[in-house]
Amino acid sequence: MNYRTFVTAQSLLMTASSMVFPFYLLLIRNIGDSYSQFGLAYGLFALTGALVHPIIGRLSDRLGDRTFILVHTWGMAGIMLIIPIIETVTALYLVQIVMGILGAVQKTSEKTVLARQSNGVQAGKKIGSYHLWTSVWGAIAVMLTGYLIDFLTIGSLFYIASILYLISSFLILKSAAVPFRVQRKKPVQL
Amino acid sequence: MKGKYLLIGISLYGIAFYTSTSIHSLQQKTVVIEDVGKLLPTRMKEVKSTQSTEELQNWVRKEKTISIAGLQHSQGGHTVYPNGTLLDMKSYNEILNFNPKEKTITVQSGVTWADIQKKINPYGLSIQVMQSQNIFTVGGALSVNVHGRDIRYGSLIDTVDSFRLLKPDGEIISVSRDENSEYFSYVIGGYGLFGVILDVTLQLAEDELYEQRISTMDYKAYEEHFKSNVQNDEQVKMHLARLSVAPKTFLKEMYVTDYVLADDQKKLTRFSTLNEEEKVALPKFMLGMSRYSDWGKDVFWETQKKHFQNSNGSYQSRNNVMRSDSTFMEYENANRTEVLQEYFVPVDEFASYIDDLRKVLEKEDLNLLNITIRYVEHDEDAVLSYAKDDMFALVLLINQGRSQKEIRRTEKIIQKMIDVTLDHDGSYYLPYYSYPTKKQLKQAYPRIDEFFQKKRELDPDERFKNLFYEVYAQ
Ligand SMILES: Cc1cc2nc3c(=O)[nH]c(=O)nc-3n(C[C@H](O)[C@H](O)[C@H](O)COP(=O)(O)OP(=O)(O)OC[C@H]3O[C@@H](n4cnc5c(N)ncnc54)[C@H](O)[C@@H]3O)c2cc1C
């Protein structure tokens, strides 16, 4: 997986997640219909994320970044199909837990890939450009959605996001896979 | 190998995508509706509302399952049915004819008491029978056959001259005691099961000036007070009492408001402007405190009592007595709600009934916030009549959780209270949550089978349905 593909794929999924984020908050608020349930739903997400990080980190060393990014993108593509039809608080809590795990997967793989991109020489530059592009896309997505929402239903936003996640995963799939053996031997890929 | 997995993945995604979008579009087509009880959110096909009688007629002919709704202050799903069409009558609200000389008014059923009061107050007229508040529709009030503070005009059914009914087959008929009379006593107190009440002609009363007479007493003295100072004193026109739910005086202390016809009726004009402003902040705060603690309940009771004692001797017009505050009771909480119960007991049974009720409640953990008492005169005109005798009507305001567990918990206590009520030859009011068992319903309303039978006879396709019917008629 080369750096460009990685950044493009990440920008895409950033676009997807920024696009739905505000509406997702709205949805949690509506289903939960109290701030305490809102808090619980959100807390569940953060807490599962926190708790699984050590495990995910270790797994990542065993399974490789690419697998992880694929898990995240496919997983999120699936979750985006569930969110529009959620009706009960319990379902919402479950989704929050799964998203907590998927979020941890994303956070970890994003960093491990970045770490492999240089042998320490230009790490700052690479990370800088990575954040530039992914954040720019995120920002553009939020603004565009602001306009689009007049023409689309909130439900269809989630479906679009799901497809974006899928495309992102295809990009990764298409990119040359560095066999895990190789990654282990030569962790830094220039 | 890799291609195969990819293919499986994409197919699964495709199926999931299709399923999700179809469910979503189905959900979008329907709406979730709930009444003020907030315990029965129900998914319905759609909400329809109109000002045109013809359109209503078309809908009734076309739609398979219909529930009728006024302001949805009933609390047992009386206005909803899964996948049914909701006829929202609120905008069907014209005042069709007002005849001050004859003292009658004809209104469409979505009109509220507040609308009528505004119209008739300038003519010195008033409503004969309605609830204690004016926030309800006439159609909703008729369908549960309400009662209120007035003690001289009976139940609402006694004040109805006639109405027009849109039957399940789409035909419109006039109903009165002489015309299509078989409908009269079923539709009034009929919970929207026999058709749509279109417009109603009601008898009006004169607006009058009342002097408030407040007395504090022990519950044992109440029956005697009522019989000699209220029932037998023709000058007393309205009546209302409160029974303490504060721990220090629980179900013992009472204060009573009698509305006595003022000697000098000429002063009426000074008091006849309709009260528009509600005092919300203080009562809301007090009620809020009493929700959370026994201490709050004691403070609320004492403050309320003092407030009412201070109004002893003050004057109020009949119309203003009939538009008491309700905004302060509004309660927004995601996990909890406030529900009403109303029990009727014969006047003679009052003290012993309260003793038995206290025995039950002292053992239970029920967050009881308020009890008001009114009087209903013996009246069995409606098939589902609750006034099998001259009765006191006790309204209980209960704060409870909305989870299934909490509902079951409240149900157990309420069923016990209803057993006590039935033991004292009482009955209970039907527009609230379906806590009572079928057996209790049958005991309180001996004609209930006849009622449901007639319903099936007059609406053989069961076009008009609601959750009350669903729970009790099956
Ligand atoms: C805070 C509060 C205070 C109350 N105080 C009193 C009181 O003092 N005295 C008293 O007697 N009751 C009282 N009630 C009960 C109240 O009177 C009933 O719930 C009444 O039905 C509410 O009127 P609504 O317009 O909200 O009717 P809804 O709740 O909308 O409807 C009630 C029933 O009437 C039917 N219906 C409505 N409109 C029509 C129509 N046009 N044609 C045919 N059927 C129709 C519905 O299908 C339903 O079965 C009180 C309730 C609350 C919540």
Side-chain angles (χ1 to χ4, degrees), chain B residues 145-187:
Chain B
N145 188 22
V146 301
H147 50 274
R149 295 183 179 179
D150 179 274
I151 56 170
R152 300 294 171 200
Y153 286 102
S155 301
L156 180 59
I157 191 168
D158 302 306
T159 74
V160 178
D161 265 359
S162 63
F163 59 86
R164 284 197 312 150
L165 181 75
L166 171 54
K167 292 198 311 172
D169 60 6
E171 193 197 341
I172 295 175
I173 55 170
S174 287
V175 180
S176 67
R177 287 178 187 78
D178 312 315
E179 202 179 349
N180 293 308
S181 58
E182 61 162 343
Y183 281 89
F184 199 75
S185 53
Y186 282 98
V187 176

Side-chain angles (χ1 to χ4, degrees), chain A residues 32-34 36-37 66 74 77-78 81-82 84-85 87 153 155-156 159 162-163 166 170 173, chain B residues 2 6 9-10 13 16-25 27-28 32 43 333-335 402:
Chain A
D33 84 1
S34 81
S36 56
Q37 286 180 338
R66 193 164 173 274
W74 278 89
L81 297 183
I82 295 176
I85 56 173
E87 286 195 326
T153 63
S156 50
Y159 293 122
S162 172
I163 292 169
L166 207 68
F170 281 146
L173 274 174
Chain B
K2 196 178 143 192
L6 196 63
I10 293 177
Y13 179 82
F17 193 90
Y18 177 76
T19 317
S20 170
T21 45
S22 347
I23 297 178
H24 183 67
S25 75
Q27 285 174 345
Q28 290 300 303
V32 176
R43 188 170 282 289
N333 184 310
N335 306 319
R402 284 163 65 181

Side-chain angles (χ1 to χ4, degrees), chain B residues 68 70-74 109 131-132 137 140 143 147 197 374 429:
Chain B
I68 313 168
L71 276 150
Q72 303 197 285
H73 281 286
S74 49
S109 58
Q131 295 94 323
S132 300
T137 65
S143 300
H147 50 274
I197 300 171
R374 289 165 305 186
Y429 202 24

Side-chain angles (χ1 to χ4, degrees), chain B residues 47-169:
Chain B
V47 178
K48 286 180 174 264
S49 101
T50 180
Q51 291 175 301
S52 140
T53 311
E54 220 182 348
E55 211 160 5
L56 279 176
Q57 211 169 0
N58 287 338
W59 291 340
V60 167
R61 288 206 175 109
K62 218 176 67 203
E63 299 296 330
K64 227 178 121 249
T65 307
I66 298 173
S67 301
I68 313 168
L71 276 150
Q72 303 197 285
H73 281 286
S74 49
Q75 303 182 341
H78 300 76
T79 54
V80 295
Y81 194 83
N83 290 321
T85 301
L86 186 93
L87 281 194
D88 172 1
M89 300 301 292
K90 287 197 295 288
S91 52
Y92 192 74
N93 64 349
E94 243 177 90
I95 294 182
L96 300 176
N97 186 26
F98 170 44
N99 189 336
K101 260 210 202 97
E102 301 277 323
K103 291 193 215 156
T104 58
I105 191 164
T106 306
V107 297
Q108 290 183 329
S109 58
V111 159
T112 63
W113 296 123
D115 299 333
I116 298 186
Q117 286 176 333
K118 206 180 278 165
K119 175 87 183 177
I120 65 179
N121 189 58
Y123 297 84
L125 291 174
S126 176
I127 292 155
Q128 287 190 348
V129 176
M130 57 179 272
Q131 295 94 323
S132 300
Q133 284 110 15
N134 62 2
I135 54 178
F136 311 97
T137 65
V138 171
L142 227 65
S143 300
V144 310
N145 188 22
V146 301
H147 50 274
R149 295 183 179 179
D150 179 274
I151 56 170
R152 300 294 171 200
Y153 286 102
S155 301
L156 180 59
I157 191 168
D158 302 306
T159 74
V160 178
D161 265 359
S162 63
F163 59 86
R164 284 197 312 150
L165 181 75
L166 171 54
K167 292 198 311 172
D169 60 6

Side-chain angles (χ1 to χ4, degrees), chain B residues 232-246:
Chain B
N232 286 332
D233 180 355
E234 279 301 317
Q235 296 302 98
V236 182
K237 302 290 183 186
M238 292 179 138
H239 172 83
L240 172 77
R242 278 202 165 77
L243 179 60
S244 168
V245 292

